[in-house]
Amino acid sequence: MNASDTTAGDELAPGFGRTWTESMIATFAVEAARLGELDRLSGDGDFGRNLTSAYARVEQEVATARPRTYREWLTCVSRGFLGTGGTSGPLFGMFFRELARCAQGDEPTPAELGAGLAAGLAVVQRYGQAEVGHKTMVDALSPAADALAVPGATLRDAAAAAARGAESTSSIIARRGRASYVGEASRGVLDPGAVAVALIVQLAADAAG
Amino acid sequence: MNASDTTAGDELAPGFGRTWTESMIATFAVEAARLGELDRLSGDGDFGRNLTSAYARVEQEVATARPRTYREWLTCVSRGFLGTGGTSGPLFGMFFRELARCAQGDEPTPAELGAGLAAGLAVVQRYGQAEVGHKTMVDALSPAADALAVPGATLRDAAAAAARGAESTSSIIARRGRASYVGEASRGVLDPGAVAVALIVQLAADAAG
Amino acid sequence: MMAPSGRGETVVRRSLANDPDDLVAEALEGLALAHPTLLRYDAEHGFVARAAPAPDKVALVSGGGSGHEPLHASFVGTGMLDVAVPGAVFASPTALQLYEATRAADAGRGVLHIVKNYTGDVINFTIARELADEDDAVATEVVLVDDDLATDPATDPATDPAETDDGGPGRRGTAAVVAVEKICGAAAEAGADLATVAALGRRVAGRARSMALALTAGTHPGESRPAFELDGDEVELGVGIHGERGRSRVPMASADELTSLLVEPLLASLELARGGGVVAIVNGLGSTYPLELHVAARAVHRLVTAQGLRVDRFLVGSYVTSLDMHGVSVTLLPVDEELLRLWDAPVRTPALTW
Amino acid sequence: MMAPSGRGETVVRRSLANDPDDLVAEALEGLALAHPTLLRYDAEHGFVARAAPAPDKVALVSGGGSGHEPLHASFVGTGMLDVAVPGAVFASPTALQLYEATRAADAGRGVLHIVKNYTGDVINFTIARELADEDDAVATEVVLVDDDLATDPATDPATDPAETDDGGPGRRGTAAVVAVEKICGAAAEAGADLATVAALGRRVAGRARSMALALTAGTHPGESRPAFELDGDEVELGVGIHGERGRSRVPMASADELTSLLVEPLLASLELARGGGVVAIVNGLGSTYPLELHVAARAVHRLVTAQGLRVDRFLVGSYVTSLDMHGVSVTLLPVDEELLRLWDAPVRTPALTW
Ligand SMILES: Nc1ncnc2c1ncn2[C@@H]1O[C@H](COP(=O)(O)OP(=O)(O)O)[C@@H](O)[C@H]1O
Ligand SMILES: Nc1ncnc2c1ncn2[C@@H]1O[C@H](COP(=O)(O)OP(=O)(O)O)[C@@H](O)[C@H]1O
Ligand SMILES: [Mg+2]
Ligand SMILES: [Mg+2]
Ligand SMILES: [Mg+2]
Ligand SMILES: [Mg+2]
């Protein structure tokens, strides 16, 4: 595995998996409350607690599994979410599972990461049956995956696309998840899952160095 | 069986058992409501319904058993009460059972009836553990049995004694049965069970002719 | 901790019933339809009997007011009762019902009456035995079950000793009746004679003690108010199974704390030697749901084993209820090898099968 | 007829619990203590398994939100489930719990998932199967139970056909899951292979239909208000088991009348031929007491037999509950000889034994 394998532009810093995972743990410890508040406004209010307990489990998994490679680190993240309730738990769990599996070597190439993001999007859509515009995490994930599929694109491009996708959820009403039960009341509120995805991709870009 | 067997004075009319039973059925159909009202004032209010259903059962028993002798008629009365609830059901049931068993022949002699009343009182006291003055049916039964035990006494004497006993319950407070829970509130109210006994003995005297 | 505070608001309870006067009879009809191979309901005489009467064994008859289901009718079957005699809700069956049931139950080896200690029940069962003895020469014995520690004159500070002399009613009969029925049932099934089965029943009844608490009273069918009302931060301790108030009210607390208020007095009264074993019955009183009951069972297990005692067998469920009362009772029965063997013997009834 | 009229007054419900967050785990601990010979509780992985795992048979795993006890944990045992996986109250178990349970259950003959049709359950069970398949090469199959006629798009006048196309969730899974677990359990115990057991489960799930009504909703532990409130003269028809409102409200009526509102639509949807037989499940939803349930059972029996059909087997009790909801569900399962034979096969679990 070397730079010639990549189709995307940037190279990943060594220890990318670890850095990404640890930055997610640190960031969501701070951001969970704000995201939970969004779920309270348009859903059932448990998204913050689901995130907190997911990343607490990630830390436990890390302590037990003592991960070394990217795949091992991301598997810890996946298991943390798969051990968590709500709709986001299993969806993020399977999303990170695809991301974990994308790398052949100790760390992924940018191309592998791009393929992983696409596979992650596919699995979320397979389980959740949501399309872009349904006001879910898909609204951020899908543009991120699209951006990274463009030859030469970087994780920063994907993060910017995800952020724009998350922004777009404010003006629409939800068609999937708990928020779809509140109808018009969800308009004007960002979808917390989409915001979380934007954060996750941003942290990947940061970790890529 | 003839008049020389008797120690008490009067002779019983033929068909005494039938007449007594039928007059009780007819009388309590009318009096049950008033007696129930007394139970409402000092007890739990179900005495009227208990009497009504007891005598309804007596009628059923009569229809099925087609009684001929005094013993058979009074056994129907006993079974009617034994098939009824409350405290009065089993107590009257056993009371009438002793009365039914007192006669050797087709109808009782006055002496047999006197012994029957005494045996009935004894069985009520054995089960109910009530003494005279506890404001229960015993307050009417006991003087009636005492009166009939006097040589030459008639059922009319017993009925008068029972009526006086029933009257006496008004001024006292109850020490047995549901009425004992209401304390002073039972003072000034006749005990319905004692009033019922006075009626029963009066009807016996009437039936004796 | 979980108590919504403030003056208890009013609870309205409706019943799934037709005419309330027909409730018991219709339910018994339904019970027999649900278990045609185990039970039959004799509507004329008002009792429930085994579908296939057992020949040549001591017959067990129990009964009492309805509203305590599955007690007693759903304990009719192999290894337990032969006949159950239900009264109206919270009212004793009549002497005549009990007499007919006793005659019907007798298979020639005599009949044991298992009677919860309530005046009406005691009188009517006694009359039934006298009738059966005199009129039909049926041999009978009785076991009086009086396990409710809350009504023990010896431990009730409110009891006037003068009144106790005055022939007080004594301890009420509650969930220990299930153990008496199970253990006597096993002995009878194994061929023991009437005196032996009765002695065994008295041994069980003499040892077992129970205590109950309620968060909400039950509501009589046809009425809309529970038998008593509690503030949101109160618990009724020492309740009976007929809507009787308890001995005291205590503040609402955690399941562990409330359970210890039941178990500690039981352990004190039983004075068990360390290393001994008990059968524990954790009994729901009506609308206590299984999550709650099993949390209480866990607490009972901890409290008993903390005393160096063993829970040899554990029965957790709603077996002796008080309509839809929300509460729990704990029964502890010190056991030896013989009682355990009889407890473990096969049983096949609607409510208890192993 | 028995309805106290007037605007529904407020009901306050407290729980016998410690920390509500610990309720499920503590209850499972209590359950395992109560049945040490039948069950063990794996607290680390969050599932309940047979105390003595059965070798060489297809393993049955079910699970779902808690609050429906005795479902599913008390159906673990010989002749029924191998492993039950409880989530928090009314919340699906997690994919990882289900994955670990599936791995633990497998005895080399594959694992059948029995899943009540709720989005969260379906997603998490599906993920668990994929993980078990990919990571451990465990062969799995699934039976989806969707018996609740009240949520049948084909019969719900309120359903927008466009939404149905939009991948609507379909009928909910309710009390028929007991029949699926019992019948699949018997087949697995008898040695049937995974495909056979799964096909059987689908046959049962495909035939069974249920309808429920409530007089009072259940109250979530830690809360004091029921999930919905009714006027004193209203009954909620077509309720689910998670405090979901029903399809309609009907006036309070007699047990016979209310029961017919459940049974008539079931009979219509099943289109049974005269002379056929059914297994009928009359299921209490929490605080419905046995007198009420058996009166409803009597009504069900009359309604079914009035159509020239037979009630071949009758299960009456509180098996699939919704905390302390006061109500009843009726499930009808048309049966043939094979299904009856499997229904009758021995079973030994905390909640069902014969
Ligand atoms: N069907 C779906 N497909 C994709 N994402 C979904 C779907 N339903 C919900 N989500 C995402 O999950 C988030 C809510 O997660 P969470 O609060 O954990 O789940 P729940 O709705 O079960 O409480 C939403 O903000 C949305 O982004
Ligand atoms: N212990 C007793 N001994 C004799 N008579 C009694 C006793 N207790 C109650 N009674 C009689 O029974 C009558 C009430 O009968 P009833 O209403 O049928 O019984 P309950 O008190 O069970 O409702 C009382 O008026 C009284 O005369
Ligand atoms: Mg949420
Ligand atoms: Mg949620
Ligand atoms: Mg009275
Ligand atoms: Mg009374």
Side-chain angles (χ1 to χ4, degrees):
Chain A
M1 165 192 53
N2 58 45
S4 68
D5 292 334
T6 67
T7 56
D10 54 346
E11 297 298 308
L12 300 184
F16 166 74
R18 174 185 186 144
T19 314
W20 190 19
T21 303
E22 291 181 339
S23 72
M24 285 194 284
I25 292 172
T27 303
F28 282 106
V30 177
E31 298 290 340
R34 180 172 66 95
L35 297 168
E37 194 49 42
L38 292 176
D39 194 35
R40 214 175 322 278
L41 291 171
S42 66
D44 61 354
D46 59 359
F47 187 60
R49 202 168 46 147
N50 289 344
L51 278 176
T52 310
S53 76
Y55 280 104
R57 271 167 218 277
V58 174
E59 289 194 81
Q60 281 171 24
E61 292 283 342
V62 166
T64 319
R66 306 184 149 273
R68 207 183 39 83
T69 64
Y70 162 87
R71 185 185 186 124
E72 288 165 3
W73 279 98
L74 271 285
T75 297
C76 291
V77 179
S78 169
R79 290 179 61 93
F81 276 101
L82 290 177
T84 302
T87 311
S88 63
L91 293 181
F92 275 130
M94 291 308 272
F95 169 73
F96 282 113
R97 187 160 189 268
E98 293 300 332
L99 274 171
R101 289 146 58 112
C102 75
Q104 294 291 320
D106 281 358
E107 298 290 336
T109 65
E112 285 174 334
L113 210 57
L117 210 59
L121 169 66
V123 81
V124 166
Q125 290 194 287
R126 180 155 63 84
Y127 286 114
Q129 303 283 321
E131 302 293 332
V132 171
H134 284 174
K135 191 168 181 144
T136 71
M137 58 174 74
V138 169
D139 289 0
L141 256 185
S142 180
D146 287 351
L148 215 51
V150 173
T154 67
L155 273 170
R156 303 226 159 269
D157 301 323
R164 279 191 304 275
E167 279 303 318
S168 76
T169 61
S170 169
S171 60
I172 55 181
I173 66 167
R175 299 280 307 279
R176 285 291 179 282
R178 303 263 167 178
S180 62
Y181 301 142
V182 305
E184 279 297 329
S186 73
R187 205 190 297 278
V189 181
L190 292 169
D191 176 65
V195 175
V197 164
L199 261 173
I200 288 166
V201 183
Q202 180 61 51
L203 293 170
D206 295 347
Chain B
M1 164 190 53
N2 58 45
S4 66
D5 293 336
T6 66
T7 55
D10 54 344
E11 298 298 306
L12 301 183
F16 168 74
R18 174 185 185 145
T19 313
W20 190 19
T21 304
E22 289 181 340
S23 72
M24 285 193 284
I25 293 172
T27 303
F28 282 107
V30 177
E31 297 291 340
R34 179 172 67 95
L35 296 168
E37 193 49 42
L38 292 176
D39 195 36
R40 214 176 321 279
L41 291 171
S42 66
D44 63 354
D46 58 359
F47 187 60
R49 202 168 46 148
N50 289 345
L51 279 176
T52 310
S53 75
Y55 282 104
R57 270 167 219 276
V58 173
E59 288 195 81
Q60 282 172 23
E61 293 283 342
V62 165
T64 319
R66 306 184 148 275
R68 207 182 38 82
T69 64
Y70 163 87
R71 186 187 185 120
E72 288 164 4
W73 278 98
L74 269 286
T75 297
C76 290
V77 179
S78 170
R79 289 178 61 94
F81 275 100
L82 289 177
T84 303
T87 311
S88 62
L91 292 182
F92 276 131
M94 291 308 272
F95 169 73
F96 282 113
R97 187 162 190 266
E98 292 301 332
L99 274 172
R101 289 145 58 111
C102 74
Q104 293 292 321
D106 280 1
E107 298 290 335
T109 65
E112 285 174 336
L113 209 59
L117 209 61
L121 168 66
V123 81
V124 165
Q125 289 194 289
R126 180 154 63 84
Y127 284 115
Q129 303 282 321
E131 302 294 331
V132 171
H134 284 174
K135 191 168 182 143
T136 71
M137 60 174 73
V138 169
D139 289 0
L141 256 186
S142 179
D146 288 351
L148 216 49
V150 173
T154 67
L155 274 170
R156 301 228 160 267
D157 301 323
R164 280 191 305 274
E167 279 305 316
S168 77
T169 61
S170 169
S171 60
I172 56 181
I173 67 167
R175 299 280 308 279
R176 284 292 180 281
R178 303 262 168 180
S180 64
Y181 301 143
V182 305
E184 279 298 328
S186 72
R187 206 190 295 279
V189 181
L190 292 168
D191 177 64
V195 175
V197 164
L199 262 173
I200 287 166
V201 182
Q202 180 61 51
L203 293 170
D206 294 348
Chain C
M1 38 133 319
M2 327 204 41
S5 273
R7 182 69 212 150
E9 285 129 76
T10 313
V11 177
V12 174
R13 219 279 180 182
R14 300 173 294 168
S15 297
L16 188 66
N18 298 307
D19 185 334
D21 285 344
D22 301 331
L23 180 61
V24 171
E26 289 181 353
L28 293 170
E29 202 180 313
L31 178 70
L33 288 168
H35 301 279
T37 59
L38 289 177
L39 300 180
R40 71 182 176 85
Y41 170 47
D42 184 328
E44 188 196 340
H45 297 110
F47 62 75
V48 169
R50 295 195 195 181
D56 192 36
K57 67 177 269 297
V58 170
L60 266 57
V61 174
S62 192
S66 291
H68 308 302
E69 292 70 25
L71 191 77
H72 298 271
S74 288
F75 294 131
V76 171
T78 314
M80 220 159 158
L81 298 181
D82 293 275
V83 173
V85 194
V89 171
F90 293 174
S92 168
T94 70
L96 215 57
Q97 261 179 292
L98 291 163
Y99 163 66
E100 297 290 354
T102 303
R103 287 207 317 169
D106 186 36
R109 304 267 318 263
V111 178
L112 180 68
H113 283 179
I114 298 173
V115 184
K116 303 193 298 304
N117 187 30
Y118 299 100
T119 308
D121 291 18
V122 171
I123 291 184
N124 284 301
F125 269 97
T126 306
I127 292 173
R129 282 195 302 284
E130 294 190 4
L131 300 182
D133 175 32
E134 293 174 21
D135 296 1
D136 305 274
V138 173
T140 58
E141 283 270 13
V142 61
V143 173
L144 199 69
V145 182
D146 59 348
D147 53 313
D148 180 23
L149 194 63
T151 44
D152 195 325
T155 68
D156 188 349
T159 308
D160 174 354
E163 273 185 41
T164 327
D165 288 355
D166 196 24
R171 290 185 305 262
R172 295 178 294 224
T174 61
V177 73
V178 176
V180 175
E181 292 177 7
K182 172 67 189 78
I183 287 171
C184 290
E189 213 75 47
D193 65 18
L194 182 57
T196 307
V197 180
L200 203 50
R202 286 185 201 115
R203 186 142 73 90
V204 173
R207 290 178 179 205
R209 290 294 179 276
S210 304
M211 273 286 279
L213 62 81
L215 307 187
T216 316
T219 303
H220 219 281
E223 291 176 16
S224 63
R225 301 256 170 279
F228 56 81
E229 291 191 15
L230 290 167
D231 270 0
D233 48 10
E234 288 174 343
V235 172
E236 191 80 19
L237 190 64
V239 288
I241 55 175
H242 303 93
E244 306 97 318
R245 308 259 1 184
R247 262 171 68 163
S248 60
R249 289 185 192 181
V250 296
M252 180 64 187
S254 72
D256 286 353
E257 290 166 310
L258 291 177
T259 305
S260 79
L261 296 181
L262 302 180
V263 173
E264 298 300 352
L266 291 176
L267 290 173
S269 86
L270 291 172
E271 287 172 19
L272 281 148
R274 285 183 72 84
V278 297
V279 168
I281 304 177
V282 176
N283 174 59
L285 294 171
S287 63
T288 317
Y289 49 71
L291 288 174
E292 297 179 296
L293 275 183
H294 285 103
V295 167
R298 171 179 174 275
V300 169
H301 195 274
R302 292 179 166 223
L303 291 161
V304 171
T305 53
Q307 297 301 310
L309 302 167
R310 291 186 321 275
V311 178
D312 283 330
R313 298 295 182 277
F314 219 162
L315 188 65
V316 184
S318 294
Y319 294 102
V320 179
T321 62
S322 181
L323 298 169
D324 62 327
M325 181 144 84
H326 181 203
V328 65
S329 72
V330 177
T331 301
L332 297 184
L333 165 64
V335 283
D336 52 29
E337 292 237 319
E338 182 191 14
L339 294 185
L340 274 184
R341 195 173 38 74
L342 292 164
W343 178 268
D344 287 341
V347 58
R348 191 179 195 89
T349 72
L352 212 62
T353 293
W354 59 65
Chain D
M1 36 135 318
M2 328 202 41
S5 272
R7 183 66 213 151
E9 283 128 78
T10 314
V11 178
V12 173
R13 219 279 179 182
R14 301 174 292 169
S15 297
L16 188 66
N18 298 309
D19 186 334
D21 285 345
D22 300 331
L23 179 62
V24 171
E26 290 181 352
L28 292 170
E29 203 180 314
L31 179 70
L33 288 168
H35 300 279
T37 59
L38 289 177
L39 301 180
R40 71 183 176 85
Y41 170 47
D42 184 327
E44 188 194 339
H45 297 110
F47 61 76
V48 169
R50 294 195 196 184
D56 191 38
K57 66 177 270 297
V58 171
L60 266 58
V61 174
S62 191
S66 292
H68 308 302
E69 293 68 27
L71 192 76
H72 297 271
S74 288
F75 294 130
V76 171
T78 315
M80 221 158 155
L81 298 181
D82 293 275
V83 173
V85 194
V89 171
F90 294 173
S92 169
T94 70
L96 216 55
Q97 261 179 292
L98 290 163
Y99 163 66
E100 296 291 353
T102 304
R103 288 208 315 170
D106 187 35
R109 305 267 318 262
V111 178
L112 179 68
H113 283 180
I114 298 173
V115 184
K116 302 193 298 305
N117 186 31
Y118 298 100
T119 309
D121 292 17
V122 171
I123 290 184
N124 284 301
F125 270 97
T126 306
I127 291 173
R129 281 195 303 283
E130 293 190 5
L131 299 182
D133 174 35
E134 292 175 22
D135 296 1
D136 306 274
V138 173
T140 57
E141 284 270 11
V142 61
V143 173
L144 199 68
V145 182
D146 59 347
D147 52 314
D148 181 23
L149 194 62
T151 44
D152 195 325
T155 68
D156 188 350
T159 309
D160 173 353
E163 272 185 41
T164 327
D165 288 356
D166 196 24
R171 290 184 305 261
R172 295 179 293 224
T174 61
V177 73
V178 177
V180 175
E181 293 177 8
K182 172 65 191 78
I183 287 170
C184 290
E189 213 75 47
D193 66 18
L194 182 57
T196 307
V197 180
L200 202 51
R202 285 184 203 116
R203 187 143 70 90
V204 173
R207 291 178 177 204
R209 289 295 178 275
S210 304
M211 272 286 280
L213 63 81
L215 308 187
T216 315
T219 302
H220 219 280
E223 290 177 16
S224 64
R225 302 253 169 282
F228 56 81
E229 292 189 17
L230 290 167
D231 270 0
D233 49 10
E234 288 174 344
V235 172
E236 191 80 20
L237 189 64
V239 289
I241 55 175
H242 303 93
E244 306 97 316
R245 307 257 6 181
R247 262 170 68 163
S248 60
R249 288 184 193 181
V250 296
M252 180 64 187
S254 71
D256 285 353
E257 289 166 312
L258 291 177
T259 307
S260 80
L261 296 180
L262 302 180
V263 174
E264 298 299 352
L266 291 176
L267 290 172
S269 86
L270 291 171
E271 287 172 18
L272 281 149
R274 285 182 73 84
V278 297
V279 167
I281 304 177
V282 176
N283 175 59
L285 294 170
S287 63
T288 317
Y289 49 71
L291 288 175
E292 297 179 297
L293 275 183
H294 285 103
V295 167
R298 171 180 173 275
V300 169
H301 195 273
R302 293 178 165 223
L303 291 160
V304 170
T305 53
Q307 297 301 309
L309 301 168
R310 290 187 322 274
V311 178
D312 283 330
R313 298 296 181 276
F314 219 162
L315 188 65
V316 184
S318 293
Y319 295 103
V320 179
T321 62
S322 181
L323 297 168
D324 62 329
M325 181 145 84
H326 181 202
V328 65
S329 72
V330 176
T331 302
L332 297 184
L333 166 65
V335 283
D336 52 30
E337 292 238 318
E338 182 189 14
L339 294 186
L340 274 185
R341 194 173 38 73
L342 292 163
W343 178 268
D344 287 341
V347 58
R348 190 179 197 90
T349 73
L352 212 62
T353 293
W354 59 65

